[in-house]
Amino acid sequence: MSAPTFPAGASTETQPAAGLPPTLAANPRLARWLGFSADGVVTIHSGKVEYGQGVWTALAQVAAEELGVSLSRVVVAPVITSDSPDEGITSGSRSVEESGASLRQACAQARSLMLGVAAVTLGTTAERLVVEDGQLTGPDGTAVTYWSVLAAHPGLLERDAGEPVPEKAMGSWSVAGRSAARLDLPDKVSGRPRFIHDLRLPGMLYGRIVRPPAPAARLAGLADPCLPPGVILVRDGSFLGVLAGADREAVQSAALVAKAARWEVSETLPDCDDLASFLRNAPAETVVVGEHRDERAAASAATTLAAEFTRPYIAHASMAPSCALARWDSGSLMIWSHSQGPFALRDAIAAGLGLDPAQVVVQHAEGAGAYGHNGADDVALDAALLARAVPGRPVRVLWAREDEMAWAPYGSAMLARLEAGLDAAGTIVSWRQDVWSGGYIGRPGTGGQPRLLALSHIEGGQPIPAALDGPPTGAIGSTRNAVPGYDIPDLLITRHRLLTMPIRTSSQRSLGAFLNVFAIESFMDELAAAAGRDPVDFRLAHLRDPRARRVIEQAAGLADWGARPRSESIGYGIGFARYKGVAGYCAAVAEVEAEYDIRVRRLWLAVDVGRVINPDGVINQVEGGAIQSASWALKERVRFDRTAITSVNWDTYPILRFSEVPQVQVRIVASPERESGAGEVAQGPVAGAIGNAVAAAVGVRVRDLPLTAEQVGRAIEAG
Amino acid sequence: MEEHHLRVNGATHSVTCDPGTPLLDVLRADLQLAGPRFGCGMGLCGACFVIVDGHARSSCDLPVWAAQQSEITTVDGLAATGALHAVQQAFLDSQAAQCGYCTSGMIMSTVALLAENPAPSEQQVRNALEGNLCRCGTHQRIVAAVLAAARRLAAEAAR
Ligand code: FES
Ligand code: FES
């Protein structure tokens, strides 16, 4: 198979109106965003996908608000690449900001068009119409509805968005800005079919994949697996899969194939217990991602501190193994996938299989929670490869739990070396931060490469190229949040991205911010101690931004910082960051008990994420982010030997359980600023707060994640 | 291949399959119940929990032959009368889910707990849910939902 190339995006023919939100400008046709069906329903089409973060509900609220219809009338259509607006990847906490802005403007334009028509029908002016739940009433009491207007003018929304029209002011919101129950939960508490795993198509076959036993392995031979009659074996190079009439038969057949396969395996993995050496010594590309110099200030340093912080590889470990369906019909390929980027997946599959993207359609279906680039895209190609053997028949592939843990990309291990100078008054005058990491940008399409797992296994396939880190703006990839948000006159931040990838890495919730903020916030406490200052006061002394100060003050207030009785083995710590340096603000306080084990008992968080569409949705996201961050910080670590991943199920990759989960209290700090997303704001600050609370509880600084009793013991020994 | 008789959600079903087939697979594939979810296949995550003779347990590692004499309830069978079960309603009221993939299992563990201990303490709730993992970090809301369900059931019983 020749090296796949990646198609360029389609060019736009006419210029969109100036001032439109970017994804509306790129997909200007109004009918692409919303439609009205005869039964009084409004269907909205977004390019963003739901994966448990509640984005559908928030977007439905935006549309209901702007149109003036009740929320119960709004239905969100699943993304399908042949129809939905292309809004790129659903990631980076940008969905409400991007898709919300486009939908809001599309709805505002649709509303104004429909009001214009209604005014003529009712013999009045648009300004004099009263809109209530989709009914437009004139001064004389006569009325039409959006639905009746569109029945009479069916082509009304078949036009491109024009000049931006005014949107409803936040002060007059009645649906947006208020907590709304999630639209998807009734199905989920009832156990109704809702997930891609529940999708059954007529004539469907069940596929399973037999993965190699290690990241670097080659199929050296395959004996006759003696499969039951009717079971189909698909082999392409080192890619092996089976197809059967039932999943249980596919599972048994896959086990037979696994037994019959002989693999050549190479030792390519680093030493799991010395990742710092691996990171420091692997070939890397070094770039400066943040710099402003003030040599006079730097020269005023009276004390200089330095420290190194590390994190291991962390797995997404979604509750459900990845799943996809595919069907080939005379040269065209239909895919059902829970990918976070259906459009990029379409293009990557087309490139990988040598098809025109126009031959491939990807329809989104919900999966379990996703926290970055997991196996969703890879399993879609697996399904396509198996489906190719049975044209016309739908094929469903489900990964084994063990493959989900071992083959989905990880968040990369990282090393951060920090050095800072304090002047005689205890003010930070200089800061150096060097970050060593595998790349965090490795989704399908990155760098023009499809980057789908099976493409590295099929005949002639090449290993997936090392993940990238994006342009050196400081906010992207492994150096996300590597530039401290504090006022520091002399600053130099450097990224060392690994050029080899023995262990596959890609994006994971908050990217490098989890380690960078953990390191920065730990180091801030070390500097505060050196300066003889309280950690909260020390941070405030280096922050002028009022929104930053407010979240710190509020989190400290919630936790009763300073007034809490200190005792043996209980410690409190604070952590803060503005996500990406430009998005939501979050401060967290942790209470840690370190008796026999390290326990986080409570977390208090204050967040400012700009305008909020669904307050309860934001709190849910922040609580979840905080608990997941606590789990990463306290327990999580992918283990491996020199050939293979050994963390392959929940017993070998433990996460936080009910008895270990802290109580979390979240306060939203009200703000009229632009929406900025809540899904990732908590990851870094919570880790920083926990690290500082552990240090306060045990009296030594633990700089290597996860913060287990074992690591504490090691830090005590070293210190 | 053998014929097995199962009591699920109050009805008797007969299925022909290998006796070692996991109950979960029979529930999902033969009985077409979407409620019990596959998560790990090894009894480690709770996504597939059902109630077997009053106890919540994994169905992914229970061979179908061993389930034959038992009364089995799945989340699909809780709202048999049409109205949501008090526990389901409490999960909805507390918005106790993010992706919701763990929800079926959480609800089944809760129903079994409350049948045995109608007024659990928060610690008892956490202990009862120890075998159920949630990757989205919805634990706090789930605990709140369980306590709310207990109160709701107590109020219903008092009426
Ligand atoms: S799927 Fe049964 S416990 Fe995980
Ligand atoms: S809500 Fe997603 S796993 Fe629990």
Side-chain angles (χ1 to χ4, degrees):
Chain A
M1 182 154 191
S2 63
T5 53
F6 211 70
S11 63
T12 35
E13 283 155 26
T14 51
Q15 280 298 322
L20 291 175
T23 59
L24 179 57
N27 305 274
R29 176 112 331 190
L30 293 177
R32 217 162 185 198
W33 294 89
L34 72 165
F36 293 71
S37 42
D39 47 355
V41 168
V42 182
T43 303
I44 58 171
H45 303 264
S46 157
K48 300 291 184 182
V49 302
E50 176 69 53
Y51 45 85
Q53 80 282 41
V55 65
W56 276 16
T57 309
L59 294 176
Q61 285 178 273
V62 166
E65 181 66 64
E66 207 55 46
L67 291 168
V69 301
S70 73
L71 184 57
S72 59
R73 291 191 184 278
V74 183
V75 168
V76 188
V79 173
I80 179 161
T81 55
S82 52
D83 249 6
S84 306
D86 180 354
E87 296 193 278
I89 315 277
T90 306
S91 69
S93 302
R94 301 183 317 255
S95 298
V96 174
E97 182 188 337
E98 294 176 355
S99 196
S102 290
L103 257 175
R104 185 181 289 125
Q105 181 57 222
C107 289
Q109 298 210 6
R111 173 187 159 114
S112 120
L113 286 169
M114 292 186 287
L115 284 177
V117 171
V120 174
T121 311
L122 298 174
T124 179
T125 61
E127 294 71 41
R128 304 188 69 189
L129 292 172
V130 176
V131 181
E132 215 189 315
D133 194 14
Q135 175 158 314
L136 320 175
T137 310
D140 62 356
T142 55
V144 294
T145 68
Y146 286 147
W147 295 270
S148 66
V149 167
L150 283 167
H153 305 268
L156 192 59
L157 302 180
E158 289 295 343
R159 68 175 73 193
D160 287 357
E163 295 297 317
V165 305
E167 297 162 356
K168 274 197 194 166
M170 190 182 172
S172 63
W173 283 358
S174 61
V175 182
R178 303 193 182 187
S179 289
R182 287 257 306 271
L183 303 177
D184 50 332
L185 295 196
D187 279 353
K188 291 173 179 176
V189 302
S190 306
R192 282 197 282 267
R194 172 103 203 177
F195 294 102
I196 189 166
H197 308 79
D198 307 325
L199 209 56
R200 303 277 179 274
L201 299 177
M204 186 171 94
L205 293 175
Y206 292 78
R208 289 279 180 159
I209 308 300
V210 181
R211 289 277 178 233
R218 199 183 63 83
L219 185 62
L222 183 65
D224 182 358
C226 302
L227 296 176
V231 173
I232 299 165
L233 172 69
V234 176
R235 178 182 175 179
D236 186 346
S238 294
F239 176 85
L240 289 173
V242 292
L243 279 169
D247 190 42
R248 69 185 65 130
E249 200 179 9
V251 170
Q252 286 160 359
S253 302
L256 293 173
V257 173
K259 227 178 269 162
R262 195 160 50 75
W263 301 90
E264 255 166 37
V265 170
S266 330
E267 287 195 357
T268 54
L269 306 191
D271 179 356
C272 182
D273 291 312
D274 188 10
L275 291 173
S277 301
F278 159 66
L279 290 162
R280 206 191 307 270
N281 296 320
E285 163 200 77
T286 295
V287 290
V288 169
V289 297
E291 180 174 25
H292 52 79
R293 306 305 285 269
D294 181 339
E295 277 166 25
R296 265 186 56 197
S300 69
T303 319
T304 304
L305 263 64
E308 290 186 0
F309 300 85
T310 67
R311 58 160 277 179
Y313 293 96
I314 292 176
H316 297 285
S318 177
M319 279 297 286
S322 295
C323 182
L325 282 73
R327 189 182 60 219
W328 287 83
D329 283 302
S330 46
S332 72
L333 175 60
M334 178 73 203
I335 302 265
W336 291 261
S337 165
H338 55 109
S339 167
Q340 282 175 264
F343 294 91
L345 175 62
R346 171 198 63 194
D347 295 349
I349 285 189
L353 299 179
L355 301 170
D356 182 332
Q359 291 171 275
V360 183
V361 173
V362 177
Q363 166 145 13
H364 184 264
E366 278 177 77
Y371 322 100
H373 176 197
N374 59 19
D377 299 291
D378 295 328
V379 74
L381 177 62
D382 293 344
L385 288 171
L386 295 195
R388 195 159 61 174
V390 284
R393 291 194 76 167
V395 161
R396 173 228 206 213
V397 175
L398 176 69
W399 275 13
R401 162 59 47 192
E402 291 74 11
D403 289 342
E404 185 73 22
M405 297 300 241
W407 287 100
Y410 300 122
S412 182
M414 292 173 68
L415 163 69
R417 182 177 193 282
L418 280 62
E419 189 181 313
L422 287 171
D423 68 11
T427 302
I428 306 171
V429 291
S430 64
W431 191 288
R432 301 282 173 278
Q433 185 154 337
D434 279 79
V435 178
W436 288 263
S437 176
Y440 268 83
I441 315 284
R443 289 187 191 270
T446 302
Q449 289 134 344
R451 294 174 186 268
L452 294 168
L453 179 61
L455 293 178
S456 65
H457 294 152
I458 58 178
E459 190 64 47
Q462 296 296 316
I464 298 171
L468 304 181
D469 249 354
T473 59
I476 298 184
S478 66
T479 33
R480 175 160 288 175
N481 280 90
V483 178
Y486 299 101
D487 304 328
I488 299 167
D490 185 73
L491 190 124
L492 179 63
I493 313 296
T494 309
R495 174 169 91 193
H496 310 269
R497 179 184 63 91
L498 270 50
L499 295 173
T500 56
M501 190 170 68
I503 292 180
R504 184 182 180 199
T505 64
S506 188
S507 65
Q508 184 173 58
R509 199 173 193 172
S510 86
L511 311 187
F514 175 66
L515 190 266
N516 288 316
V517 175
F518 169 73
I520 290 168
E521 292 301 292
S522 298
F523 202 49
M524 282 299 281
D525 266 32
E526 299 190 53
L527 291 165
R533 304 279 294 276
D534 169 79
V536 169
D537 295 341
F538 185 71
R539 282 172 175 76
L540 293 175
H542 290 88
L543 278 173
R544 269 167 306 189
D545 182 346
R547 294 175 75 191
R549 297 177 65 89
R550 213 172 301 135
V551 292
I552 291 180
E553 285 161 357
Q554 298 248 353
L558 271 181
D560 219 356
W561 181 266
R564 292 218 158 249
R566 309 276 144 156
S567 68
E568 260 312 274
S569 76
I570 305 265
Y572 296 89
I574 188 155
F576 157 79
R578 181 178 193 191
Y579 187 51
K580 303 181 192 173
V582 296
Y585 297 79
C586 174
V589 174
E591 176 185 271
V592 161
E593 182 185 29
E595 200 113 49
Y596 308 103
D597 216 338
I598 308 294
R599 283 181 79 81
V600 180
R601 300 204 305 192
R602 303 178 69 171
L603 291 168
W604 297 267
L605 293 98
V607 298
D608 170 354
V609 291
R611 296 197 294 187
V612 168
I613 304 296
N614 187 355
D616 188 61
V618 164
I619 291 173
N620 201 353
Q621 281 270 284
V622 175
E623 284 173 2
I627 289 171
Q628 189 173 66
S629 175
S631 182
W632 292 355
L634 292 172
K635 304 193 83 146
E636 295 187 33
R637 170 182 189 181
V638 175
R639 292 187 176 271
F640 39 88
D641 56 29
R642 281 313 178 72
T643 54
I645 304 294
T646 53
S647 292
V648 293
N649 211 323
W650 300 108
D651 48 352
T652 41
Y653 191 81
I655 64 170
L656 224 55
R657 290 177 179 276
F658 270 94
S659 63
E660 304 164 311
V661 162
Q663 281 183 5
V664 187
Q665 195 181 339
V666 177
R667 175 177 292 172
I668 299 176
V669 179
S671 163
E673 306 288 333
R674 202 168 66 137
E675 299 85 340
S676 59
E680 298 168 293
V681 289
Q683 305 316 104
V686 164
I690 294 174
N692 289 330
V694 168
V698 303
V700 295
R701 175 64 54 182
V702 188
R703 301 191 183 90
D704 299 303
L705 294 169
L707 303 170
T708 57
E710 186 193 340
Q711 301 271 46
V712 171
R714 212 171 284 155
I716 291 173
E717 256 167 51
Chain B
M1 290 283 198
E2 279 168 32
E3 188 168 44
H4 299 87
H5 301 280
L6 291 171
R7 288 279 302 163
V8 180
N9 297 332
T12 304
H13 303 263
S14 59
V15 288
T16 305
C17 63
D18 199 276
T21 307
L23 174 63
L24 174 62
D25 197 37
V26 170
L27 296 174
R28 287 187 62 85
D30 301 76
L31 273 51
Q32 303 205 2
L33 298 172
R37 316 278 184 203
F38 178 89
C40 68
M42 286 179 63
L44 297 170
C45 75
C48 66
F49 274 23
V50 297
I51 296 177
V52 180
D53 296 330
H55 299 287
R57 65 149 296 156
S58 46
S59 60
C60 65
D61 57 353
L62 179 64
V64 67
W65 66 262
Q68 288 194 95
Q69 308 302 325
S70 300
E71 197 65 42
I72 296 158
T73 310
T74 75
V75 70
D76 320 68
L78 289 183
T81 61
L84 287 183
H85 185 282
V87 172
Q88 292 172 307
Q89 189 60 50
F91 270 66
L92 210 48
D93 294 345
S94 304
Q95 292 286 290
Q98 286 179 64
C99 76
Y101 201 82
C102 67
T103 307
S104 298
M106 296 285 178
I107 288 175
M108 298 322 283
S109 287
T110 303
V111 170
L113 165 71
L114 297 183
E116 205 176 288
N117 178 1
S121 67
E122 176 172 338
Q123 193 53 51
Q124 288 170 326
V125 170
R126 287 179 182 258
N127 292 345
L129 296 175
E130 193 68 353
N132 292 84
L133 299 178
C134 173
R135 187 50 165 163
C136 296
T138 320
H139 305 74
Q140 167 154 310
R141 284 167 181 248
I142 292 169
V143 171
V146 176
L147 295 171
R151 287 192 298 272
R152 179 187 281 264
L153 283 167
E156 276 174 19
R159 266 207 303 268

